Amino acid sequence: MSINNGLVSLPTRPENMHKGKAGRILVIAGSRGFTGAGAFAALASMRSGAGLVTWAIPESLSNVAETLCLESITMPIAETDQQAPAVGARETLLEAAQESDAVILGPGLPVAGESGELMRLLIPEIKKSLVLDAGGIRAIGNNLMALRNRKHPTVITPHPGEFADLSNISIADIESQREANCKTLAEKSSAVVLLKGYNTVVSDGVNSYINQTGNQGMATAGMGDVLSGIIAAFIASGIAPFQAACTGAYIHGLAGDIAREQFGVHGLIASDVINKIPEAILRYTQSS
């Protein structure tokens, strides 16, 4: 049954707030040709209130990364010949994760080779709330035990194609019963599942939420990376993962709707939505 209690008020900030208390996020994202994915996730996290964002990026791409997100801390890590994260980065990443309140894993990361192996090693070992997107989801395949065995909260954000890989259900069948399928996958994986698409569905296996914000102009590359950043920032602020995913989906869509007011639906891009996140949060907090 759908419920509407997934949306929650965002935490208030005391006057003596400092960046260390505003939420620390580790973003493990980006590879050759996909550096922007990490930038979108990092920037969206900061626009959503995170106090400190560390972006782990293959070392040869770190100079580029520093120009894409000036406010984040860039952490160069060991890389493969294809300029993707290497297994040798494992210990460095686990140490950085321990200093974080939430971790984003997967945007812009290839599943083949060492990067896929690295993600499969990190998923059970990261002892913090984890937001999995893109390559992080693909790395699991249909091995849901990798999620069930985690000891800390997990949010996965698949689009229908990734959902099909996880569940062994055709995209047509997924789309015909989006809410029921999302709830079933959440039950089987012990994760909060956010099924992207028109009327995004979020479920924790018990409660479900259907989002009503967003528009067709958001059907473009990078939007999922932005969503991951928003959700991670809300988790890092102390919001429970299910509510963070629901509220994150709402704010993400609302930012897209605000961007549409200015740009229309043709040519709307991910960075437009990132820039509208603070206004979306302001409208949301004023109406709640």
Side-chain angles (χ1 to χ4, degrees):
M1 179 180 67
S2 296
I3 60 173
N4 290 318
N5 67 356
L7 301 181
V8 295
S9 298
L10 302 184
T12 57
R13 291 195 172 201
E15 290 185 358
N16 64 347
M17 189 76 161
H18 63 76
K19 61 188 178 184
K21 288 185 176 181
R24 300 170 183 259
I25 294 174
L26 173 64
V27 179
I28 307 170
S31 59
R32 183 173 63 193
F34 296 93
T35 312
F40 290 147
L43 284 165
S45 293
M46 302 209 74
R47 284 295 193 184
S48 301
L52 285 168
V53 175
T54 299
W55 177 12
I57 186 78
E59 55 189 353
S60 65
L61 300 175
S62 64
N63 287 341
V64 173
E66 289 181 4
T67 68
L68 294 177
C69 186
L70 301 178
E71 296 85 357
S72 69
I73 300 167
T74 305
M75 186 174 77
I77 58 174
E79 64 178 17
T80 67
D81 293 341
Q82 289 75 42
Q83 294 177 292
V87 171
R90 176 184 176 188
E91 291 302 323
T92 299
L93 292 171
L94 289 174
E95 289 175 8
Q98 280 302 109
E99 300 299 319
S100 305
D101 299 304
V103 178
I104 301 171
L105 175 63
L109 296 184
V111 177
E114 283 194 50
S115 290
E117 182 182 353
L118 174 65
M119 287 186 282
R120 286 186 287 273
L121 290 170
L122 291 175
I123 287 168
E125 293 180 330
I126 289 174
K127 312 227 181 302
K128 298 287 181 174
S129 293
L130 179 62
V131 179
L132 285 177
D133 186 33
I137 296 172
R138 293 284 191 186
I140 296 169
N142 60 4
N143 178 22
L144 297 184
M145 289 305 296
L147 299 175
R148 290 186 64 87
N149 289 338
R150 276 186 43 78
K151 305 300 183 186
H152 293 77
T154 310
V155 177
I156 60 174
T157 60
H159 58 57
E162 293 162 344
F163 196 103
D165 290 341
L166 289 166
S167 60
N168 292 320
I169 301 173
S170 71
I171 293 176
D173 287 342
I174 291 165
E175 294 289 69
S176 69
Q177 299 185 68
R178 285 172 58 83
E179 184 178 357
N181 286 319
C182 189
K183 181 176 182 291
T184 297
L185 183 58
E187 290 173 343
K188 290 181 177 180
S189 65
S190 299
V192 173
V193 179
L194 184 151
L195 174 56
K196 297 173 186 172
Y198 178 68
N199 288 344
T200 288
V201 182
V202 184
S203 182
D204 62 1
V206 177
N207 302 307
S208 297
Y209 167 79
I210 300 177
N211 190 54
Q212 302 295 318
T213 59
N215 61 81
Q216 64 270 43
M218 298 174 72
T220 186
M223 291 293 179
D225 309 319
V226 175
L227 177 60
S228 294
I230 298 171
I231 294 170
F234 289 172
I235 291 173
S237 75
I239 299 174
F242 173 68
Q243 285 80 12
C246 296
T247 309
Y250 185 93
I251 294 294
H252 179 248
L254 180 57
D257 290 341
I258 295 170
R260 178 183 57 183
E261 294 171 6
Q262 181 176 355
F263 300 112
V265 297
H266 295 286
L268 194 65
I269 58 175
S271 57
D272 296 330
V273 174
I274 290 172
N275 290 332
K276 299 301 182 182
I277 291 172
E279 184 176 347
I281 291 174
L282 182 61
R283 290 192 190 185
Y284 179 74
T285 53
Q286 289 176 339
S287 65
S288 61

